[in-house]
Amino acid sequence: MSLDQETFKLLKDSVQRFVRERLMPAEDYVEEHDEVPADIVSDMKELGLFGLSIPEEFGGIGLTMAQECEVAYELGHTALAFRSVVGTNIGIGSQGILIDGTAEQKAEYLPRIASGDLVVSFALTEPDAGSDAASIKTKGVKDGSDYLLSGTKRFITNAPRAGAFTLMARTEGAGAGGITAFIVPAGLPGLSLGKPDRKMGQRGTKTCDVNLDNVRVPAANIIGGEPGKGFKTAMKV
Ligand SMILES: Cc1cc2nc3c(=O)[nH]c(=O)nc-3n(C[C@H](O)[C@H](O)[C@H](O)COP(=O)(O)OP(=O)(O)OC[C@H]3O[C@@H](n4cnc5c(N)ncnc54)[C@H](O)[C@@H]3O)c2cc1C
């Protein structure tokens, strides 16, 4: 279900006003401090920006892709950092769960992602695997009803803010069919973050490495419940 045109226009007007009255005046702060102020993040939650693409049944606004693009266009009038705060929840972090997750995974994660209480990142890229994403080396070794994940993910947007990762690891051998997508909570033992990446621009956006050293993740956290489907999930988001 998408928003009807009248309600969507009200939302778009609110976003335009928010950009003009709240975000633009904070651009200098973001540039100087390399951070989006917490009170603005809290206002973004209230406006529903974290859940733009999540269906209403899971607490989001349920915009169509065309409507989402219109809102992104409005947010594009100000510093990129603001949209980046919500970007992974709207897009790459949440969509794997939304498209391929089990009913239980959707019920457990999507409402918190939509409200912004849980920031979710997408972890595919590695030091030796970028464009050729099917060549990732992060491995997942089955151990009882868990998997032990080890490897390094690189350039992961919002990793320093994330409470969970949609993370791809190799569990089934070589090639794209050997990759499994997991939901990995950020606080698990063995998971650590690298130093924040220093970029030439994009002040206030956050990327860094995510290091995994035998991180124990239950098989129940495989997106969709079935190993070997993770590359397809990653390509759909
Ligand atoms: C700001 C930022 C945020 C990011 N956020 C995330 C994130 O949240 N999650 C995540 O998983 N990743 C993220 N990434 C990583 C991003 O997905 C990779 O940078 C991208 O996939 C390219 O990989 P690479 O940097 O290893 O470059 P490479 O793959 O090494 O490519 C380098 C250059 O070679 C070219 N090239 C590569 N292969 C070929 C080919 N076969 N033929 C011709 N040309 C080729 C590319 O076009 C590029 O110009 C982010 C990157 C940046 C910069």
Side-chain angles (χ1 to χ4, degrees):
M1 270 289 283
S2 62
L3 274 195
D4 63 83
Q5 275 313 308
E6 201 179 325
T7 317
F8 178 63
K9 186 174 177 319
L10 290 175
L11 172 73
K12 214 169 112 177
D13 289 348
S14 306
V15 172
Q16 278 171 345
R17 216 167 33 248
F18 186 62
V19 167
R20 219 172 32 240
E21 293 173 9
R22 287 289 280 131
L23 302 188
M24 284 177 167
E27 287 170 356
D28 286 348
Y29 180 95
V30 170
E31 190 61 29
E32 194 179 331
H33 297 275
D34 194 21
E35 191 56 83
V36 174
D39 59 330
I40 287 189
V41 175
S42 150
D43 288 352
M44 286 172 150
K45 289 182 184 177
E46 210 161 294
L47 202 52
L49 294 183
F50 284 88
L52 290 176
S53 62
I54 312 269
E56 284 176 83
E57 63 176 305
F58 299 113
I61 297 182
L63 299 186
T64 62
M65 179 58 80
Q67 290 172 332
E68 196 188 314
C69 289
E70 286 190 54
V71 174
Y73 181 85
E74 296 307 329
L75 291 170
H77 284 84
T78 184
L80 173 71
F82 297 118
R83 190 178 170 275
S84 186
V85 168
V86 296
T88 53
N89 276 37
I90 296 172
I92 52 178
S94 69
Q95 293 301 298
I97 301 171
L98 180 60
I99 296 168
D100 280 344
T102 62
E104 291 77 18
Q105 288 166 346
K106 291 181 195 188
E108 182 176 350
Y109 290 98
L110 293 178
R112 286 188 289 142
I113 293 172
S115 67
D117 289 341
L118 178 69
V119 171
V120 66
S121 286
F122 174 83
L124 175 64
T125 303
E126 299 181 356
D128 297 318
S131 306
D132 183 13
S135 69
I136 61 164
K137 294 181 185 144
T138 292
K139 62 176 184 194
V141 178
K142 188 112 191 335
D143 184 42
S145 59
D146 300 328
Y147 282 82
L148 295 173
L149 307 186
S150 293
T152 299
K153 296 295 178 180
R154 180 138 297 168
F155 301 141
I156 306 308
T157 300
N158 281 338
R161 300 171 169 133
F165 300 89
T166 292
L167 186 142
M168 273 49 71
R170 185 168 300 289
T171 62
E172 310 298 301
I179 296 172
T180 298
F182 292 88
I183 302 167
V184 180
L188 292 180
L191 191 151
S192 62
L193 301 180
K195 279 193 304 199
D197 298 324
R198 288 186 63 210
K199 297 188 275 301
M200 292 173 74
Q202 303 193 1
R203 299 272 295 167
T205 65
K206 301 289 167 195
T207 61
C208 71
D209 281 5
V210 177
N211 306 306
L212 303 125
D213 180 11
N214 278 316
V215 177
R216 183 173 287 280
V217 179
N221 285 31
I222 292 176
I223 294 181
E226 223 186 300
K229 307 280 186 202
F231 187 74
K232 285 188 183 162
T233 297
M235 293 301 110
K236 285 181 207 168
V237 305

